[in-house]
Amino acid sequence: MGMQDILVIFTSLSRMMSRRFGIWFLCLMGPVLCTAQEPPWTLQRCIDRVLEENMQIRQAELNNRSASNNLLQAKAELLPTINGNASQSYSFGRTVDPFTNQFITDRVRSNSFSLSSSVTLFNGLQMINSVKKSRYNYLAGLADTRKTRNDMTIAVINAYLQVLFADELVNTSIDQRKLTERQLERTKYMVEAGALAKGNQLDLEAQLATDQLQEVNAINQKDIAYLNLAQLMELESVGDFSIERPALEVTASQPVLEGPENLYQKALNTQPEVEAAEYRVLSATKDLAIARGAQSPSLVMRASYGSGYSGARQSLTDLSITGVDTIGYTAGGVEVLAPSYKATYETTPFNDQLDQNVNKAIGFYLTIPIFNGLRTRTAISGAKIALENAQLNQEAAQRQLLKEIQQAVADAKAAFNKYHASMKSTDAMEESFRYTDLRAEQGLVDAVTYIDAKNRLDKSRSDLLQAKYDYFFKLKILDYYAGNPLTF
């Protein structure tokens, strides 16, 4: 085997090892490479992300949990209260023992144990109305949360459309710059050939610089649009962030839009701000009922069960006769004798005293309000004012909703008309520019005329893009008031 054969074998082995290493590398890094590319975000995915991560929504949900706790507490107030008490004390010096009712001077230990319960039987329905008030406040909070979620959804749609608009604007800016570059090359050739003056070339070079600046501005606007959407979604990084681009086409004929009156009737049953205002009126009504309930008598039942222990309580354990004592004399002078006794006592045991000292009590307590410094009357007056204010807020919310719907319908119609007018203007501008561009190729149009035609076309295209995405946003506003899904 010669040296050349050895080199061929070595080269083949090297290629095989390189191929195997490449396969191993792809096997190991394939999952990483696959997961490194974030798939484009759809509009629904963006909305779901915002609804999950937005701080305002999370705070609103916490407020709902707090309102739910308040409702639970209001219901629990209807239940009886039960409390247990226990005490241990030592008395020194002359005092009355609570269980023997005797004066004692020694140190005595005392214990007491009791259970007490209380329940309000009637208080002018204040507690029942408090439950209803808390429930209405909870429902109003839920409606406020839905309003916040709807507002954030609309904000996401607007930011999403701004990204689409900025992306198309970048493409338009690139086309404009390329068009100027193409015309500049033609003009350079014609200047070199002596067919055009040098000033035409200089004018186009200045226009190219302007187009390049507009392209940079469009790219910056696109980056800012992506950043706004990413920040709205609480994304930590926007490096690999991209969105899905749905096919948005405007119909040739104006769509049939619901009238403001029909849309308003639907919105009255779907819009959370109107629902929240209605619940707050009901809550204020219950506030007034609570204030009026303070004028009624209240009836409370209380019961207790207790016992205790005293170290001064004694029990007789032994009694014996120790002799005879003279206790007096009769009328005839005869002594009256009586036996003398010796008694032995011990402290009554703890368990025995607990059985013997049991005490029970039950009572009904009626409170009739007569005068309390006009607090009840002023509370009723304040509740009436709050109710009127809530009713005005409800009426204002309904009126504002009607105005917003009327404006939204008018905006949608105007946006559609503006888009089609812009489209006609753009078509006309493109036709005019094609004629100008053709004449420029033949050297029949100077650079100033060419640049003016191109700038008018650029502005017309930009206006068309803006009108397009403004129209789609206005349609989403109508879907919002109609209660339709806010997606494309």
Side-chain angles (χ1 to χ4, degrees), residues 33-81:
L33 295 175
C34 291
T35 57
Q37 295 180 350
E38 179 74 18
W41 287 69
T42 63
L43 175 60
Q44 186 60 53
R45 187 182 172 196
C46 293
I47 293 175
D48 294 340
R49 167 78 182 190
V50 170
L51 297 184
E52 181 181 354
E53 297 293 335
N54 183 261
M55 292 297 179
Q56 295 180 8
I57 296 177
R58 292 168 66 180
Q59 289 176 343
E61 290 173 348
L62 288 177
N63 292 335
N64 292 339
R65 289 169 58 184
S66 178
S68 178
N69 285 337
N70 294 337
L71 175 59
L72 179 62
Q73 181 60 48
K75 292 179 179 179
E77 293 292 334
L78 298 171
L79 302 176
T81 61

Side-chain angles (χ1 to χ4, degrees), residues 264-282:
Y264 174 68
Q265 294 301 323
K266 287 184 178 180
L268 283 177
N269 299 322
T270 59
Q271 293 307 299
E273 59 267 33
V274 176
E275 184 179 351
E278 180 180 355
Y279 283 132
R280 288 192 169 91
V281 169
L282 295 175

